[in-house]
Amino acid sequence: MNIKQSMKLSAIIDKMGLKITNPKASQEEVGAELMVQIVSKAYKAEKEIYNFIAEIKNITPKEAEKVDLIEFIKEMNEVSDIKSFFTSAVK
């Protein structure tokens, strides 16, 4: 993930107000909590999410509107630098 993409992801996290409520929880518990927060708060950063997905997948923002959010999150979770960025960004 490049700096520009990191900045976009940071803005999305901030706009959605994502937080880890129990830092001592297991990785699976934290992941599940973040997944619920992302799905329930995605509307707060709708345009930013479309633009981020478009850039990552090299598609247009209009095409990004049709991407399955849960599947995209799962794909992103498999990229180690994004996982570590996301974990450190929401602490």
Side-chain angles (χ1 to χ4, degrees), residues 5 11 21 28-29 31 33 42-44 52 54 57 60 65 69 71 76-77 79 81 83 89:
Q5 292 165 336
T21 58
E28 291 80 20
E29 291 170 324
E33 177 187 4
Y43 71 93
K44 292 182 175 186
F52 180 72
K57 294 181 95 39
T60 68
E65 292 177 14
L69 181 60
E71 289 302 316
M76 297 300 291
N77 195 37
V79 178
D81 61 334
K83 188 185 295 185

Side-chain angles (χ1 to χ4, degrees), residues 31-61:
E33 177 187 4
L34 288 174
M35 181 72 84
V36 169
Q37 287 183 55
I38 290 168
V39 172
S40 66
K41 296 179 179 185
Y43 71 93
K44 292 182 175 186
E46 182 177 4
K47 184 176 181 180
E48 292 86 351
I49 292 171
Y50 294 147
N51 288 331
F52 180 72
I53 292 171
E55 184 166 328
I56 294 292
K57 294 181 95 39
N58 199 25
I59 58 177
T60 68

